[in-house]
Amino acid sequence: MLRWFLVVTAVCLPLLAHAQSQQQTETQYQAFLANTIWPRAKSAGVSRATFDNALKGKTLNWKIPGLVPPGSASTPTKIRQAEFSQPSNYFGERNLGSIVASGKSLMGRYASSIKSIERKYGVPGRFLIAIWGRESGFGRVKIPHDAFQVLGTKAFMSTRPELFQAELIAALQMVEKGFATPAQMKSSWAGALGQPQFLPTSYLKYAVNTDGKGKADIWNSEIDTLGSIAAYLNKFGWQSGRDWGFEVTVPADISCALEGPDNRQTFAAWAKAGVSRANGKPFPKSEMNKKGSLLMPAGRLGPAFIVTPNFYVFKEYNESDLYALFVGHAGDRIQYGGTPFKTGWRKTDSMLRSDIAKMQRNLEKMGLDVG
């Protein structure tokens, strides 16, 4: 799970409302597999036997949210995403506290392996545990879907077909290379695989065998899962020896418009401007001449932070500020204990993911950078 993977729940327009029948669409899908996917797969080194074993007889999964069947007049609406809900709900202590409690136990259980992974990749184990917990409940969440049915469906009629066509080819390459059988390729409804929720392209690039059994088994091996998350963060530039960030108090005369990585300043400059840590402690001396960014996910209606570049490495796993903040905060509490943020979350409006996407597209047409 990864950089492109977003956990969403959706209310979709009825698919049968379109003029084209499901049977007609299924027929088009089989032609799509034969005429579009097979030539690409063959060029990528996939054998016909592997292709048929993975995709022969597979039909579309019509229950996946956000589908755009051929003949649809518009893209799906009312798509919801947890990262755009109330922050107070996202950081609910029932959920976060459960991950912290289980994470502490697992840090002890896998202490030896985690130390080895830390030495190799430079990423603190507490954050690997937190991501593992957030992505799959430490492997306890059911991952029931046939990855090839899901990826095939999304490659044919999702809002981002080009992305999922590449993921479908990568999944076929995984089977061709012997990393998994089609039956073992279980995914979420969004096509993310195993306990770390990697899309197939991420598996091929970043998954590592850490337990010494020969291949990266992100479905059954906890050690391979932790090692693969560490390898992922390392490849995206994790800065060893630096934390992810600190909760702060921001003076009223500092504008929220200074938020974001484009406005990085040294910690010394933030301190000089009156920004201080919420717990009353000074910023670490090792950070004072290094740069950090202001983060205010709810503006003046919630906690504020000065975050390091490592925060944005978390966002390579999932593009949401709230997600990155969750795993950073949970990781700290797993290792050091602690309580919720000093400043609470006040009520803010929630927006549909689909509405935000539409707004961003309109802003981009105006020449603005939406991140």
Side-chain angles (χ1 to χ4, degrees):
M1 166 305 72
L2 24 141
R3 179 177 182 180
W4 295 102
F5 172 59
L6 299 173
V7 181
V8 298
T9 55
V11 180
C12 300
L13 292 175
L15 296 178
L16 293 178
H18 305 291
Q20 181 166 294
S21 71
Q22 284 193 9
Q23 185 55 52
Q24 289 174 311
T25 302
E26 291 283 0
T27 300
Q28 286 185 347
Y29 176 57
Q30 294 304 317
F32 165 77
L33 293 178
N35 300 326
T36 299
I37 298 302
W38 165 238
R40 288 185 58 182
K42 183 179 180 180
S43 297
V46 176
S47 68
R48 186 72 207 196
T50 294
F51 182 86
D52 288 343
N53 193 24
L55 289 169
K56 190 174 183 179
K58 292 289 194 308
T59 58
L60 294 165
N61 184 335
W62 291 86
K63 295 181 181 180
I64 293 174
L67 298 181
V68 187
S72 299
S74 61
T75 56
T77 59
K78 295 185 179 180
I79 299 178
R80 302 182 186 277
Q81 181 178 324
E83 282 76 13
F84 294 112
S85 65
Q86 290 284 339
S88 57
N89 295 335
Y90 194 82
F91 287 90
E93 194 59 24
R94 181 177 180 180
N95 179 28
L96 197 152
S98 175
I99 288 177
V100 170
S102 295
K104 288 179 179 179
S105 174
L106 293 167
M107 278 283 287
R109 183 185 306 176
Y110 299 110
S112 177
S113 295
I114 287 173
K115 287 181 181 178
S116 177
I117 292 169
E118 287 177 335
R119 286 193 297 268
K120 184 171 184 178
Y121 297 106
V123 184
R126 65 185 184 274
F127 301 131
L128 310 179
I129 293 286
I131 290 174
W132 182 25
R134 182 66 195 174
E135 292 297 337
S136 65
F138 308 110
R140 298 168 189 159
V141 173
K142 291 183 178 180
I143 305 173
H145 297 286
D146 181 311
F148 286 103
Q149 185 184 40
V150 168
L151 293 170
T153 299
K154 293 178 77 68
F156 181 61
M157 57 178 189
S158 73
T159 56
R160 293 190 292 175
E162 297 83 5
L163 166 69
F164 286 100
Q165 287 172 27
E167 296 299 341
L168 179 56
I169 300 300
L172 289 165
Q173 289 177 309
M174 287 175 62
V175 175
E176 185 69 32
K177 294 173 186 288
F179 296 133
T181 66
Q184 291 169 331
M185 294 279 280
K186 296 298 183 183
S187 76
S188 70
W189 65 260
L193 305 169
Q195 297 188 42
Q197 288 290 273
F198 276 9
L199 285 172
T201 54
S202 291
Y203 178 95
L204 291 174
K205 291 178 182 177
Y206 311 115
V208 293
N209 172 236
T210 309
D211 63 12
K213 294 183 180 179
K215 60 183 178 182
D217 183 358
I218 61 172
W219 293 272
N220 304 300
S221 172
E222 293 84 355
I223 305 305
D224 284 358
T225 294
L226 293 170
S228 296
I229 295 170
Y232 187 102
L233 297 178
N234 174 273
K235 291 291 186 180
F236 278 99
W238 184 270
Q239 296 184 8
S240 181
R242 297 193 73 181
D243 210 319
W244 64 271
F246 309 89
E247 186 184 358
V248 297
T249 300
V250 178
D253 61 350
I254 292 183
S255 171
C256 296
L258 291 177
E259 186 190 44
D262 293 341
N263 297 302
R264 285 178 178 152
Q265 300 185 54
T266 63
F267 276 80
W270 287 118
K272 185 177 180 179
V275 176
S276 59
R277 290 184 68 179
N279 63 8
K281 297 180 180 179
F283 292 116
K285 290 182 180 180
S286 60
E287 292 286 357
M288 295 306 286
N289 292 323
K290 297 176 181 177
K291 291 186 176 182
S293 307
L294 179 63
L295 175 73
M296 301 177 74
R300 301 286 179 183
L301 302 179
F305 309 85
I306 300 294
V307 298
T308 75
N310 285 339
F311 176 85
Y312 295 96
V313 176
F314 286 148
K315 288 190 66 177
E316 297 290 347
Y317 210 99
N318 183 312
E319 286 284 359
S320 164
D321 283 348
L322 293 186
Y323 176 93
L325 188 58
F326 185 101
V327 297
H329 179 57
D332 286 348
R333 287 176 59 179
I334 285 169
Q335 183 159 341
Y336 305 119
T339 59
F341 298 125
K342 296 290 184 181
T343 300
W345 301 95
R346 293 162 62 187
K347 185 175 181 179
T348 58
D349 288 336
S350 296
M351 294 184 68
L352 296 173
R353 173 176 175 244
S354 44
D355 287 343
I356 291 174
K358 181 178 179 180
M359 181 172 64
Q360 287 179 321
R361 285 193 292 269
N362 289 334
L363 290 169
E364 286 174 337
K365 289 178 182 177
M366 298 167 62
L368 300 174
D369 179 9
V370 299

